């Protein structure tokens, strides 16, 4: 799973839990700036969860007080559930429209009342999916290379240090703790931070022959922050070490050539 998808799925789970939905739901995401892309979740809403969601749906104006009272009477002390199933669209997409809702219970219930429950749940699903999808595009933009991937270039008499944004590695973020993921998501959505993966290259000569190169993942930058505020010298360490090794090899080869000549 790539970096953006990991962040989006974590963000979706956080939103579900905050709204009273179970953390056990399976979350899918597919965001590539195409129509129909977004986020969806599948699983089962048990009796306990449904009862907990009723006041939430009422507070949002999705269910009337009388309907909530009737549903509590219908659902309490029964084995009722709502299944969030995949439909045929889920083979290609992930969004609210790929989810089908089905009510199940061991007790007979008025069809009209159950339909009102499913309609309210559908409205809440649409809202969750829409909000997370919108945030998801911001998360994608924050971790993937921008349209101007060249960050900066510094030149001396003999050397050039160039820094460019590159595609983040597929691995690495899976090892982050949930707290680290939440901190990253909050920085992106609340502070407009970016977490780019940077390629650092040290070269020399007219043809920019490479001496050293390194890749530094998830470097945090805040809007309008000057380079000196986020690019520490420690980020150059691996590229400089490689460059020094290559320079030493060239000097040794040159010294050997002089002795041979």
């Amino acid at each position: 799973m790539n970096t953006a998808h990991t962040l989006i799925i974590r963000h979706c789970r956080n939103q579900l839990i905050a709204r009273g939905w179970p953390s056990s739901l399976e979350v899918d995401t597919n965001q590539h700036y195409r129509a129909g892309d977004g986020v969806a979740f599948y699983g089962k809403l048990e009796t306990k969860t449904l009862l907990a969601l009723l006041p939430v749906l009422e507070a949002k104006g999705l269910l009337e007080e009388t309907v909530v009272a009737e549903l509590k009477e219908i659902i309490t002390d029964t084995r009722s559930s709502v299944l969030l199933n995949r439909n045929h669209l889920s083979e290609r997409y992930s969004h609210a429209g790929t989810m089908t809702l089905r009510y199940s219970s061991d007790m007979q219930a008025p069809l009209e009342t159950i339909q009102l429950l499913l309609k309210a749940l559908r409205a809440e699903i649409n809202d969750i999916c829409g909000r997370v999808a919108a945030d998801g595009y911001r998360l994608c933009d924050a971790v993937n290379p921008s349209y101007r991937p060249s960050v900066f270039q510094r030149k001396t008499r003999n050397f050039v240090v160039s820094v460019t944004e590159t595609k983040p590695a597929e691995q690495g973020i899976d090892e982050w703790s949930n707290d680290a993921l939440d901190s990253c998501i909050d920085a992106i959505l609340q502070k407009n931070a970016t977490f780019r993966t940077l390629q650092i290259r040290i070269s020399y000569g007219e043809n920019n022959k490479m001496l050293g190169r390194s890749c530094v993942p998830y470097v945090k930058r805040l809007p309008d922050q000057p380079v000196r505020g986020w690019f520490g010298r420690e980020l150059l360490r691996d590229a400089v070490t490689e460059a020094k090794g290559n320079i030493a090899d060239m000097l040794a080869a040159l010294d050997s050539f002089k002795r041979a000549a």
Side-chain angles (χ1 to χ4, degrees):
M1 186 180 299
N2 66 35
T3 300
H5 284 193
T6 299
L7 294 174
I8 293 168
I9 288 175
R10 175 64 184 173
H11 181 48
C12 185
R13 289 196 187 283
N14 288 343
Q15 294 300 305
L16 288 170
I17 293 171
R19 295 177 182 229
W21 294 65
S23 60
S24 58
L25 295 175
E26 177 191 356
V27 179
D28 276 354
T29 185
N30 182 21
Q31 297 198 259
H32 298 289
Y33 299 94
R34 294 196 302 262
D37 289 342
V39 66
F41 40 92
Y42 308 97
K44 191 175 186 179
L45 306 179
E46 302 280 5
T47 302
K48 183 178 179 180
T49 299
L50 292 174
L51 290 172
L53 284 173
L54 290 179
V56 177
L57 298 175
E58 180 184 358
K60 294 185 176 183
L62 300 176
L63 285 175
E64 295 182 359
E65 183 179 355
T66 55
V67 176
V68 170
E70 184 179 358
L71 283 168
K72 286 181 178 178
E73 185 176 345
I74 292 171
I75 295 173
T76 303
D77 298 327
T78 68
R79 286 188 291 180
S80 300
S81 63
V82 173
L83 297 177
L84 310 177
N85 294 324
R86 299 173 181 270
N87 58 33
H88 68 283
L89 293 174
S90 66
E91 296 177 3
R92 296 185 59 189
Y93 304 111
S94 295
H95 55 73
T98 67
M99 302 164 60
T100 300
L101 280 64
R102 184 167 66 86
Y103 177 80
S104 176
S105 178
D106 59 352
M107 296 290 289
Q108 193 71 21
L111 179 60
E112 182 179 353
T113 304
I114 298 305
Q115 287 177 336
L116 289 173
L117 170 63
L118 296 179
K119 182 179 179 181
L121 288 172
R122 170 60 70 183
E124 181 73 343
I125 287 170
N126 290 345
D127 186 59
I128 294 172
C129 290
R131 289 175 184 270
V132 174
D135 289 341
Y137 291 124
R138 293 181 61 193
L139 295 173
C140 287
D141 288 341
V143 298
N144 290 322
S146 65
Y147 294 109
R148 295 181 178 179
S150 178
V151 180
F152 68 84
Q153 187 179 85
R154 297 288 186 269
K155 293 183 178 181
T156 67
R157 178 182 297 180
N158 300 306
F159 303 104
V160 176
V161 177
S162 58
V163 179
T164 58
E165 298 168 359
T166 188
K167 186 177 180 181
E170 295 292 320
Q171 296 81 24
I173 198 169
D174 292 335
E175 301 174 0
W176 288 22
S177 67
N178 287 336
D179 287 343
L181 291 173
D182 292 343
S183 177
C184 178
I185 292 168
D186 180 72
I188 293 171
L189 299 181
Q190 302 302 323
K191 302 177 183 177
N192 293 320
T194 60
F195 288 82
R196 312 281 193 197
T197 296
L198 303 180
Q199 185 180 89
I200 301 170
R201 191 174 187 272
I202 300 175
S203 58
Y204 74 100
E206 294 182 359
N207 296 323
N208 288 325
K209 294 181 180 180
M210 189 180 69
L211 285 171
R213 181 173 59 184
S214 64
C215 190
V216 184
Y218 311 121
V219 178
K220 180 181 177 180
R221 281 182 281 173
L222 295 173
D224 302 322
Q225 189 177 23
V227 172
R228 65 180 179 274
W230 61 267
F231 191 88
R233 297 179 68 88
E234 69 278 1
L235 300 181
L236 290 169
R237 183 180 57 239
D238 290 345
V240 169
T241 298
E242 183 179 350
K244 285 181 176 179
N246 287 328
I247 291 172
D249 289 343
M250 287 189 292
L251 290 175
L254 179 60
D255 184 62
S256 176
F257 175 77
K258 287 181 177 179
R259 290 198 303 270

